[in-house]
Amino acid sequence: MVENQDQGPYYQINDTKNPDLLHERRSATFDIELLTQFMFGGPNSYFNINKRRQLTRLAYAHPIHKTHLPLEYLDADEFYALLIRKSFVAIKEAERLNITDRKFLGWFLSVFTNGRFIFGLHTSMFLHTLENMASDEQQEKFLPLARSFQIIGTYAQTELGHGSNVQRLETEAVFDSKTDTFVLNTPTLTATKFWPGALGRSTNYVLLMAQLYTPDRSHPCGLQMFFVQIRDLNTHEPLPGVEVGEISTRFAHEVGDNGYLRLTNVRIPRNQMLMKLAYVDEQGTFHRLGDPRLLYGAMLATRVNLCAFFSILLARAVTIAMRYSAVRRQGQNPDGKETLILDYPLQQEKLVPCLAATYAFFYSFIKLEHFRASILDGDTILFELLPELHAISSGLKAYTSTHGERWSQICRVACGGHGFLVASGIKGINNMLDAGCSYEGDNAVLYQQTARFLLKVIQQLDENTDTNPDSSIAFLYSNKVAPATVVNLDDYCRLFEARSELLLKSMSTRLSELSSSSSTPYSVFSKNSIELVHVAKAYVETFVLRAFYDGVRKASEHKELAVVFEQLFHVFAIDTLRNSAADFIRLKLLTPDQIYHLETYGLPDMYARLRPNLIALVDAFDFHDNELNSCLGRYDGQAYEALMERARLNPANRYKVHPVWTSIKQNAKSKL
Amino acid sequence: MVENQDQGPYYQINDTKNPDLLHERRSATFDIELLTQFMFGGPNSYFNINKRRQLTRLAYAHPIHKTHLPLEYLDADEFYALLIRKSFVAIKEAERLNITDRKFLGWFLSVFTNGRFIFGLHTSMFLHTLENMASDEQQEKFLPLARSFQIIGTYAQTELGHGSNVQRLETEAVFDSKTDTFVLNTPTLTATKFWPGALGRSTNYVLLMAQLYTPDRSHPCGLQMFFVQIRDLNTHEPLPGVEVGEISTRFAHEVGDNGYLRLTNVRIPRNQMLMKLAYVDEQGTFHRLGDPRLLYGAMLATRVNLCAFFSILLARAVTIAMRYSAVRRQGQNPDGKETLILDYPLQQEKLVPCLAATYAFFYSFIKLEHFRASILDGDTILFELLPELHAISSGLKAYTSTHGERWSQICRVACGGHGFLVASGIKGINNMLDAGCSYEGDNAVLYQQTARFLLKVIQQLDENTDTNPDSSIAFLYSNKVAPATVVNLDDYCRLFEARSELLLKSMSTRLSELSSSSSTPYSVFSKNSIELVHVAKAYVETFVLRAFYDGVRKASEHKELAVVFEQLFHVFAIDTLRNSAADFIRLKLLTPDQIYHLETYGLPDMYARLRPNLIALVDAFDFHDNELNSCLGRYDGQAYEALMERARLNPANRYKVHPVWTSIKQNAKSKL
């Protein structure tokens, strides 16, 4: 059934109703669909846009989407009920349509629920963890129930008092050999599980991360994962000993049903500790099995996928802001006509670097995903490359969320006041990216992980000269001299690599001097953590630049694309460079005048060259209007019409006079 | 009655329940109340904190505050009804307490309504405009009704299609001499009034900005202000010809009742055009009266006040983040104890510059307000200084909102995931500051106003050498040589001033070269707008730095404060400097190594020195817990307890099983 759906773009140029936007689309110098296919097309692409278009069309065709007001107008109960209903309908529809491939299924469920599939942690972390940490026997028992949604679970790790420092989680599982059970407890206030998605009111099981004590309380065995029922499968009521509820209101994930959970003497059978990598026998003896690094796989895949997610979010924000800027006119011109705001250099200064960064994000993700796939292919894991994957995926997750948050905020500002409406779609994206700076690893912590890896590499530099030239650290082995000026695009890459190398080497020297003094390695690292993060960022920037450069080289197959890609690359490189200008100057890689020239003449020159293609470059991301959910960013350019229509839909306007005023007026009368 | 209330701080050190936070407070090297009084105390201070404490205590003592759930748990209708009720109760309470001073009244109404006084535009812009633009006769008629809240109005300027470009507003007022009325119309979709606060459901009058046509349609006379009734005073129903409602949901001002308004052939008597500065006679002839610059006064005062508002918002954000950082422990230490997150250099790198910036914001505002008061004192206006006030207030509004948004976002990240809860208080502050980047003048537009002023100044530099040494542009006349290195604090100021001067002069030279070519002045300005904004920012930074420096000098009266102020000043100056390092190096004011040294050694050194006083420095802002409305930033440090309590209050948890699940379970059963 899926196969019969249209694989073409959602819109055609003739769907444009706003004349300014139509003019923009007609002036593009390349074929938009060519670019879309080049970047996102085909089954070999992670994005597989043709398949995605089919699935998206199927999802939005369902009549349920016409049964409700825009989501911002629902109250908390309606919102939650709708998302639960949509989530179950989505599951049924996917079954009916026989969408079985896990990636396609994930897309379909997400699109169907407006990006808010309530059981997203069930289909990702919960299932993955069962598949990777449960013993064969456990998998046989639990997986069919979980896959058919009879058991719906979430992943309960974070506690009120501990996020980054997983080792210090406080939830306890104490083995009781008499009954062959674990006794689960939340011993303190801060041990309360806090934040897990869908936990508050939706899931009936959790995978509980807890400190294991066995054979008795006096023997801590570290963190283990437990498969714990929390609600009755028939009545959906919390089980005895379980206090569960939703935490207070969030700015993003507003309907994610993030929950809290407190357990009091909840008992589970011994075979509900996940036992693939460790097990407890009847006597309560703890045994380790297998390589715990196997667990990394799922965690790393999640982190890599986040980089794609953040890139898509940013692409949405820039699509909205760019299109709106080609619709809105503002300003007094001498000729009496108002200027399209996209024609203002200050607006271009906001949005063009952001657009270029979006392309850089996508190519970084593509390079990262390619690297991940080469290391973690099914059951084979190249363990020796895991540290590098860990380092670059940590760094890139931090980089894309931090910069994505920043860029999307600039997009918000570029849309003026209207950008502050929920209906603009922008501020919501900004909130999602902001949240991304904290979840799945605080960015400051992640950058430090990257720095630790780099320090190890640099210390072993002499030992290992036989490095893969495609590696993210190959430049450390190359002994190439940095170019004195920028002639070719590759010169930017080499300048960034030279900077990264110099920063890393001087940091390494400093640390080894310090560590020979009386300080502990911990305190040396801690005291230099600000600079270490700086070193990590510099390395991530080399990766991003190199990845984007690979994209530009690939684009050389298509002449019309190649020109535009080179311009975008210039913009991204100069913008990134100027933000670290002090480094390049201090390290004598470039002079202040060179950088000034690039910034003051190079950038605006590129803005002007890219100007005719700015709309085409966002159209190429090919978002469905429902995905953007934005009055400002609609494909047809009817921003004002949409804003007015959305305002009129506000349930606040269902009263001619709000009841509070009726009562105030009556009160006033009765006092007369 | 007000006089009898306690003027002392809201809390004492012994109110602290968290031991870590208590330890912080005990290690401060200065007396907190001394600092509070020094910065904010006394009737001569704009902040007049002693009076504010009295008013705040009175406002929070009212029993209405105990009648509702935390605001994030109310649905849209409940939220609106509560805020309307609280607003009216606040007005009555103020009357009862005989709070008549306008500033004190404003504070009281705002505090009473949790910063959400619904008629804020009525008591500010609406009344101010009537007082400044209405004729004496009109004032006599309208003001008593407005002051007693029988008429409640708002200020309807912004339209769907026009914000910054006020001149192009489209709403029309056409004079009809037969009936001696103006006929008001919204001729297009984009002419719809959009955004005015309290317009949607609350106000019964508006001051309508419209294009005047008189004596007939073919004679446009520009924008005028009209006093227009939109709702029936008895029934509160919209009048005939009036379509009014709330616009769609916002991220900030969520209960501001921002509205839209469309008028169709609404007639008002001729004497409802505000006629102090212009009037229309019976024949429809248009006459100008008086100096339109008189209008500036209110607009400039509003803008100046915004700088105070943004400073207070930022002070709240940093208070929350700093206190939470002195409560939360996280991380694996070799000694087995977890680290207080405030002890991490990376956390200090986030929060200490933010704290220093907050102090800089306050002193900038104080200097600006002092300048404003010296120019606009009652009815006397020093017209010749208005352009400078316009320039610096525009620039500082843009600076404080942009940087405030950025810093508050960093505070959010510094609080980790919990910072994302509405109950953290932080993200809401961030949203308010973000909104501030767009309202009352888009920041990019405002910076350009500042730049225009500077260009005029620099072109007239030779003509006028007799400048007030306290002026914000005095440094342009001083001919002082910039210091080669930083020895005294004043050296930072002089370095920034030298940079500003050099940037401005080179820009001026470039522009005059260009303008002698064939380009129009408009296109020259537009093409160079990115750099002009840069020049404007550099000037604002000199102002901020100089203002903070004035504060530091004043603090020298108190030895224990002086030390800390100097440390904060160092942090602010170095942090600001490093963000424009490329300028200082290119202009040969400092070498790359000097800046590197300041950043890499100077900053962390100051962080360490300031470390014992970080909590005292936020405590000195003396916010009431209700003002912060933050689980993380409570004075007593009970962050986790508060988070848990707030979660349990979530109305989502009033059901053991949410109704949607009951229906799903019943459905499932009926299918069996």
Side-chain angles (χ1 to χ4, degrees):
Chain A
M1 186 163 200
V2 174
E3 307 310 324
N4 296 332
Q5 280 287 323
D6 185 1
Q7 299 195 1
Y10 301 121
Y11 310 101
Q12 302 297 329
I13 289 189
N14 289 337
D15 295 329
T16 319
K17 290 185 184 145
N18 178 289
D20 288 320
L21 197 55
L22 185 62
H23 171 77
E24 296 290 330
R25 292 195 167 120
R26 290 204 171 130
S27 18
T29 63
F30 61 86
D31 178 64
I32 295 173
E33 180 67 3
L34 174 69
L35 173 51
T36 304
Q37 292 300 332
F38 171 71
M39 282 194 74
F40 307 116
N44 293 328
S45 160
Y46 173 92
F47 298 98
N48 197 345
I49 195 149
N50 304 314
K51 176 62 79 181
R52 196 175 164 100
R53 284 167 171 170
Q54 292 180 314
L55 293 166
T56 301
R57 284 188 164 96
L58 283 166
Y60 290 140
H62 196 279
I64 195 171
H65 305 300
K66 298 214 169 110
T67 62
H68 60 87
L69 283 173
L71 298 179
E72 72 261 33
Y73 291 144
L74 306 183
D75 73 26
D77 274 334
E78 292 167 341
F79 205 163
Y80 177 70
L82 177 70
L83 268 295
I84 290 286
R85 272 202 303 271
K86 273 202 176 183
S87 296
F88 277 118
V89 173
I91 291 166
K92 269 196 199 137
E93 274 294 287
E95 264 176 52
R96 188 178 71 81
L97 296 167
N98 198 24
I99 304 169
T100 50
D101 176 278
R102 189 172 282 187
K103 186 160 87 172
F104 298 162
L105 179 62
W107 287 352
F108 181 81
L109 297 173
S110 173
V111 169
F112 195 97
T113 54
N114 310 93
R116 292 167 171 87
F117 182 59
I118 196 103
F119 307 121
L121 280 172
H122 173 83
T123 50
S124 59
M125 297 287 278
F126 189 78
L127 284 176
H128 283 145
T129 308
L130 283 179
E131 287 161 356
N132 287 292
M133 289 184 69
S135 67
D136 292 349
E137 192 192 341
Q138 289 175 321
Q139 293 197 25
E140 220 163 282
K141 196 170 161 194
F142 304 145
L143 273 177
L145 293 165
R147 286 187 181 140
S148 62
F149 290 91
Q150 293 175 66
I151 282 177
I152 302 177
T154 187
Y155 188 88
Q157 176 176 309
T158 302
E159 295 175 356
L160 187 53
H162 288 93
S164 296
N165 190 5
V166 179
Q167 298 308 314
R168 298 288 284 247
L169 292 174
E170 299 174 80
T171 303
E172 296 179 350
V174 182
F175 185 63
D176 174 17
S177 60
K178 277 185 223 138
T179 53
D180 203 28
T181 58
F182 296 106
V183 187
L184 308 176
N185 269 296
T186 304
T188 62
L189 171 68
T190 46
T192 309
K193 292 292 176 189
F194 215 82
W195 281 103
L199 171 64
R201 301 183 270 172
S202 312
T203 58
N204 46 34
Y205 269 77
V206 296
L207 283 174
L208 185 83
M209 186 91 94
Q211 302 286 356
L212 170 65
Y213 295 88
T214 188
D216 56 47
R217 247 215 154 286
S218 56
H219 289 85
C221 300
L223 290 171
Q224 294 296 325
M225 192 66 89
F226 301 86
F227 186 72
V228 186
Q229 184 174 356
I230 57 167
R231 287 181 176 272
D232 184 279
L233 297 190
N234 289 314
T235 65
H236 203 63
E237 286 187 16
L239 296 182
V242 172
E243 183 196 348
V244 64
E246 188 167 343
I247 65 172
S248 66
T249 315
R250 288 79 58 200
F251 273 98
H253 310 290
E254 71 278 42
V255 287
D257 187 27
N258 301 80
Y260 66 87
L261 175 70
R262 294 184 56 80
L263 301 174
T264 310
N265 292 321
V266 171
R267 284 175 183 268
I268 55 168
R270 181 170 52 85
N271 70 358
Q272 287 184 210
M273 181 178 109
L274 299 195
M275 298 231 195
K276 187 172 185 178
L277 298 171
Y279 80 96
V280 173
D281 65 22
E282 282 172 32
Q283 285 73 42
T285 314
F286 179 73
H287 309 263
R288 287 202 186 279
L289 299 165
D291 192 329
R293 289 182 298 177
L294 286 166
L295 291 180
Y296 264 145
M299 200 189 72
L300 285 173
T302 301
R303 196 177 287 154
V304 171
N305 288 337
L306 280 181
C307 297
F309 179 53
F310 298 153
S311 307
I312 292 170
L313 287 175
L314 181 58
R316 285 183 193 161
V318 72
T319 301
I320 294 167
M322 202 69 92
R323 285 185 184 159
Y324 180 59
S325 301
V327 165
R328 187 168 178 87
R329 293 181 167 274
Q330 199 83 180
Q332 286 295 69
N333 278 10
D335 63 3
K337 213 184 167 193
E338 284 193 290
T339 311
L340 205 59
I341 61 174
L342 192 51
D343 283 327
Y344 284 110
L346 280 161
Q347 190 77 351
Q348 295 168 10
E349 168 83 350
K350 289 194 180 96
L351 295 182
V352 184
C354 176
L355 175 69
T358 310
Y359 277 84
F361 276 30
F362 274 118
Y363 276 106
S364 308
F365 163 73
I366 289 166
K367 191 180 174 91
L368 175 65
E369 166 61 16
H370 184 76
F371 183 43
R372 187 205 60 79
S374 72
I375 292 177
L376 310 166
D377 186 15
D379 286 341
T380 335
I381 298 185
L382 301 181
F383 284 118
E384 70 278 16
L385 287 176
L386 271 186
E388 185 180 342
L389 180 61
H390 175 59
I392 189 63
S393 62
S394 296
L396 203 62
K397 182 266 176 184
Y399 179 89
T400 48
S401 53
T402 304
H403 288 262
E405 188 281 319
R406 197 78 310 265
W407 285 120
S408 62
Q409 167 62 18
I410 289 172
C411 289
R412 202 299 289 154
V413 171
C415 290
H418 297 331
F420 222 79
L421 297 168
V422 175
S424 78
I426 290 235
K427 189 72 195 167
I429 292 171
N430 175 247
N431 277 340
M432 293 295 282
L433 284 162
D434 178 20
C437 296
S438 294
Y439 67 65
E440 292 288 323
D442 177 274
N443 286 352
V445 174
L446 290 178
Y447 273 133
Q448 288 179 84
Q449 308 272 336
T450 307
R452 277 180 203 279
F453 163 78
L454 292 173
L455 287 176
K456 271 192 200 142
V457 168
I458 201 89
Q459 278 152 18
Q460 296 163 357
L461 202 54
D462 303 330
E463 299 165 27
N464 184 355
T465 49
D466 183 30
T467 297
N468 176 355
D470 285 340
S471 145
S472 68
I473 46 169
F475 67 91
L476 294 173
Y477 298 89
S478 77
N479 291 322
K480 276 193 191 158
V481 180
T485 177
V486 178
V487 179
N488 307 308
L489 295 187
D490 185 43
D491 293 335
Y492 289 113
C493 297
R494 286 173 54 207
L495 280 164
F496 272 86
E497 287 164 354
R499 163 193 174 229
S500 180
E501 184 177 352
L502 291 169
L503 288 176
L504 184 52
K505 284 186 175 161
S506 91
M507 174 54 74
S508 171
T509 312
R510 169 137 50 113
L511 291 194
S512 58
E513 280 165 21
L514 282 172
S515 61
S516 58
S517 75
S518 60
S519 320
T520 64
Y522 176 87
S523 83
V524 168
F525 194 89
S526 167
K527 272 187 192 146
N528 289 279
S529 53
I530 296 172
E531 276 207 272
L532 282 162
V533 166
H534 185 70
V535 169
K537 286 178 182 170
Y539 159 74
V540 174
E541 285 179 355
T542 66
F543 182 86
V544 174
L545 220 69
R546 188 54 83 186
F548 194 3
Y549 181 66
D550 292 347
V552 176
R553 277 200 304 187
K554 261 180 64 188
S556 63
E557 303 161 19
H558 306 283
K559 235 181 182 175
E560 52 185 308
L561 299 185
V563 186
V564 184
F565 267 58
E566 287 180 17
Q567 291 160 354
L568 284 172
F569 184 83
H570 270 291
V571 170
F572 179 72
I574 300 174
D575 183 58
T576 308
L577 202 154
R578 67 170 161 177
N579 288 326
S580 295
D583 272 359
F584 287 92
I585 299 168
R586 184 175 60 84
L587 300 170
K588 301 201 166 46
L589 292 166
L590 290 171
T591 67
D593 284 336
Q594 282 178 308
I595 294 177
Y596 178 75
H597 202 270
L598 284 170
E599 178 175 6
T600 312
Y601 302 100
L603 270 185
D605 177 44
M606 288 299 152
Y607 299 163
R609 288 173 199 231
L610 280 161
R611 178 65 191 82
N613 288 313
L614 292 178
I615 293 301
L617 283 164
V618 298
D619 283 349
F621 299 138
D622 200 44
F623 289 115
H624 193 287
D625 274 353
N626 291 11
E627 281 176 284
L628 296 180
N629 190 20
S630 166
C631 293
L632 305 183
R634 290 158 59 117
Y635 185 87
D636 65 9
Q638 299 278 75
Y640 293 125
E641 290 78 1
L643 285 170
M644 197 65 218
E645 189 192 1
R646 189 78 80 114
R648 285 187 172 124
L649 279 176
N650 191 335
N653 302 324
R654 68 193 181 284
Y655 307 110
K656 212 170 190 178
V657 174
H658 190 277
V660 72
W661 283 100
T662 315
S663 91
I664 285 167
K665 293 294 172 187
Q666 279 166 352
N667 246 323
K669 264 185 213 157
S670 69
K671 277 186 190 158
L672 288 178
Chain B
M1 184 162 198
V2 174
E3 307 311 322
N4 296 332
Q5 282 286 322
D6 185 1
Q7 299 195 0
Y10 302 121
Y11 310 100
Q12 302 296 329
I13 289 188
N14 289 338
D15 296 328
T16 321
K17 291 184 183 146
N18 179 288
D20 289 319
L21 197 55
L22 186 61
H23 172 78
E24 295 290 332
R25 292 194 167 120
R26 290 201 172 131
S27 16
T29 63
F30 60 86
D31 178 63
I32 294 172
E33 181 66 2
L34 175 70
L35 174 50
T36 304
Q37 292 299 331
F38 170 71
M39 280 194 76
F40 308 115
N44 293 327
S45 160
Y46 172 92
F47 299 99
N48 197 343
I49 195 148
N50 304 313
K51 176 62 80 180
R52 195 177 165 99
R53 283 168 171 169
Q54 293 180 314
L55 294 167
T56 302
R57 284 187 164 95
L58 284 166
Y60 290 140
H62 196 279
I64 195 171
H65 304 301
K66 298 213 168 107
T67 62
H68 60 85
L69 283 173
L71 298 180
E72 73 261 33
Y73 291 145
L74 306 183
D75 72 26
D77 273 335
E78 293 167 341
F79 206 162
Y80 177 69
L82 177 70
L83 267 295
I84 290 286
R85 272 202 303 271
K86 274 204 176 182
S87 296
F88 277 117
V89 173
I91 291 166
K92 270 196 199 138
E93 275 294 286
E95 263 176 53
R96 188 180 70 81
L97 296 165
N98 197 23
I99 304 169
T100 50
D101 177 277
R102 189 171 284 187
K103 186 159 87 172
F104 298 161
L105 178 63
W107 287 352
F108 181 81
L109 297 173
S110 172
V111 169
F112 195 97
T113 54
N114 310 92
R116 292 169 171 87
F117 182 58
I118 196 105
F119 308 121
L121 280 172
H122 174 83
T123 51
S124 59
M125 296 289 277
F126 188 79
L127 284 175
H128 283 144
T129 308
L130 283 180
E131 287 160 356
N132 287 291
M133 288 183 70
S135 66
D136 292 349
E137 192 193 343
Q138 289 175 323
Q139 293 197 26
E140 220 163 282
K141 196 170 161 193
F142 305 145
L143 273 177
L145 294 165
R147 285 186 180 141
S148 62
F149 289 91
Q150 294 176 67
I151 280 176
I152 302 176
T154 187
Y155 188 88
Q157 177 177 308
T158 301
E159 296 174 356
L160 186 53
H162 288 92
S164 296
N165 190 5
V166 179
Q167 297 310 314
R168 298 289 284 247
L169 293 174
E170 298 174 79
T171 303
E172 295 179 349
V174 181
F175 185 63
D176 173 18
S177 60
K178 277 183 223 140
T179 54
D180 203 29
T181 58
F182 295 107
V183 187
L184 307 175
N185 269 296
T186 303
T188 62
L189 171 68
T190 46
T192 309
K193 293 291 174 189
F194 215 82
W195 281 102
L199 171 63
R201 300 182 272 173
S202 311
T203 57
N204 45 35
Y205 270 77
V206 296
L207 284 174
L208 184 84
M209 186 92 92
Q211 301 287 356
L212 169 64
Y213 294 87
T214 189
D216 55 46
R217 244 211 156 292
S218 55
H219 288 85
C221 300
L223 289 171
Q224 294 296 326
M225 191 67 89
F226 302 86
F227 186 71
V228 186
Q229 184 173 356
I230 57 166
R231 287 180 176 273
D232 184 279
L233 297 190
N234 290 314
T235 65
H236 204 62
E237 287 188 14
L239 296 183
V242 173
E243 184 195 348
V244 64
E246 190 168 341
I247 64 171
S248 67
T249 315
R250 288 78 57 198
F251 273 98
H253 310 291
E254 70 280 42
V255 288
D257 186 27
N258 302 79
Y260 66 87
L261 175 69
R262 295 184 54 81
L263 302 174
T264 310
N265 291 321
V266 171
R267 281 174 185 268
I268 55 168
R270 181 169 53 85
N271 70 357
Q272 285 183 211
M273 180 178 110
L274 300 194
M275 299 234 195
K276 188 174 184 177
L277 297 171
Y279 79 95
V280 172
D281 64 23
E282 282 172 31
Q283 286 73 43
T285 313
F286 179 72
H287 308 265
R288 286 202 188 279
L289 299 165
D291 193 328
R293 289 182 297 176
L294 286 167
L295 291 181
Y296 265 145
M299 199 188 74
L300 285 172
T302 301
R303 196 178 287 154
V304 170
N305 288 338
L306 281 181
C307 297
F309 179 53
F310 298 153
S311 307
I312 291 170
L313 287 176
L314 181 58
R316 285 184 193 160
V318 72
T319 300
I320 295 167
M322 201 70 92
R323 286 187 183 157
Y324 179 59
S325 301
V327 165
R328 186 168 178 88
R329 293 181 167 274
Q330 200 81 184
Q332 287 293 70
N333 279 7
D335 64 2
K337 213 184 166 191
E338 285 191 289
T339 310
L340 204 59
I341 60 173
L342 192 50
D343 284 327
Y344 285 109
L346 280 161
Q347 190 78 349
Q348 296 167 10
E349 167 82 351
K350 287 194 181 97
L351 295 181
V352 185
C354 175
L355 176 68
T358 310
Y359 276 84
F361 276 30
F362 274 118
Y363 277 107
S364 309
F365 164 73
I366 289 167
K367 190 180 175 92
L368 176 65
E369 166 60 16
H370 184 76
F371 182 42
R372 186 205 61 77
S374 72
I375 292 177
L376 310 167
D377 186 15
D379 286 341
T380 337
I381 297 184
L382 300 181
F383 284 119
E384 69 278 16
L385 288 176
L386 272 187
E388 185 180 342
L389 180 60
H390 174 60
I392 189 62
S393 62
S394 297
L396 203 63
K397 181 267 174 183
Y399 179 88
T400 48
S401 54
T402 303
H403 288 262
E405 188 282 318
R406 196 78 311 264
W407 284 120
S408 63
Q409 166 61 18
I410 288 171
C411 290
R412 201 300 289 156
V413 170
C415 291
H418 297 332
F420 222 78
L421 297 168
V422 175
S424 77
I426 291 234
K427 189 71 196 168
I429 292 170
N430 175 247
N431 277 341
M432 293 295 281
L433 284 162
D434 178 18
C437 296
S438 294
Y439 67 66
E440 291 288 322
D442 177 275
N443 285 353
V445 174
L446 290 178
Y447 273 133
Q448 288 179 82
Q449 309 271 336
T450 308
R452 275 180 203 279
F453 163 78
L454 292 172
L455 286 176
K456 272 191 199 143
V457 168
I458 201 88
Q459 277 152 18
Q460 297 162 355
L461 202 54
D462 303 329
E463 299 165 27
N464 184 355
T465 49
D466 182 30
T467 297
N468 175 357
D470 286 340
S471 145
S472 68
I473 46 170
F475 66 90
L476 294 174
Y477 299 88
S478 78
N479 291 322
K480 276 192 191 160
V481 180
T485 176
V486 177
V487 179
N488 307 308
L489 294 187
D490 185 43
D491 293 335
Y492 289 114
C493 298
R494 285 174 55 208
L495 280 164
F496 272 86
E497 287 164 354
R499 164 192 173 231
S500 180
E501 185 178 350
L502 290 169
L503 288 177
L504 183 52
K505 284 186 175 160
S506 91
M507 174 53 75
S508 171
T509 313
R510 169 137 50 112
L511 292 193
S512 57
E513 281 164 20
L514 282 172
S515 61
S516 57
S517 74
S518 61
S519 319
T520 64
Y522 176 88
S523 82
V524 168
F525 193 90
S526 167
K527 271 186 191 147
N528 289 279
S529 53
I530 296 171
E531 276 208 272
L532 282 162
V533 166
H534 185 70
V535 168
K537 286 178 181 169
Y539 159 74
V540 174
E541 285 179 356
T542 66
F543 182 87
V544 175
L545 220 70
R546 187 55 82 185
F548 193 4
Y549 180 67
D550 292 348
V552 176
R553 277 198 306 184
K554 261 180 63 187
S556 63
E557 302 161 20
H558 306 283
K559 233 182 183 173
E560 52 186 307
L561 299 184
V563 186
V564 184
F565 266 57
E566 286 180 18
Q567 292 159 354
L568 285 172
F569 184 83
H570 270 292
V571 170
F572 179 72
I574 300 174
D575 183 57
T576 309
L577 202 155
R578 68 169 160 177
N579 288 326
S580 295
D583 272 0
F584 287 92
I585 299 168
R586 184 175 59 84
L587 300 170
K588 301 199 166 47
L589 293 165
L590 290 171
T591 67
D593 284 338
Q594 281 178 306
I595 294 178
Y596 178 75
H597 202 268
L598 284 171
E599 177 174 7
T600 312
Y601 303 100
L603 269 185
D605 178 44
M606 288 300 151
Y607 299 164
R609 289 173 196 232
L610 280 161
R611 177 66 190 82
N613 288 313
L614 292 179
I615 293 301
L617 282 164
V618 298
D619 282 351
F621 300 137
D622 199 43
F623 290 114
H624 193 287
D625 275 352
N626 291 11
E627 281 176 286
L628 294 180
N629 190 21
S630 167
C631 292
L632 305 183
R634 289 158 59 116
Y635 185 88
D636 66 8
Q638 299 278 77
Y640 293 124
E641 290 77 1
L643 285 170
M644 197 65 216
E645 190 192 359
R646 188 78 79 112
R648 284 184 172 127
L649 280 177
N650 191 336
N653 302 324
R654 69 193 180 283
Y655 307 110
K656 215 172 188 179
V657 175
H658 190 278
V660 71
W661 283 101
T662 316
S663 90
I664 285 167
K665 293 293 172 189
Q666 279 167 350
N667 246 324
K669 264 185 211 156
S670 69
K671 277 187 191 155
L672 286 179

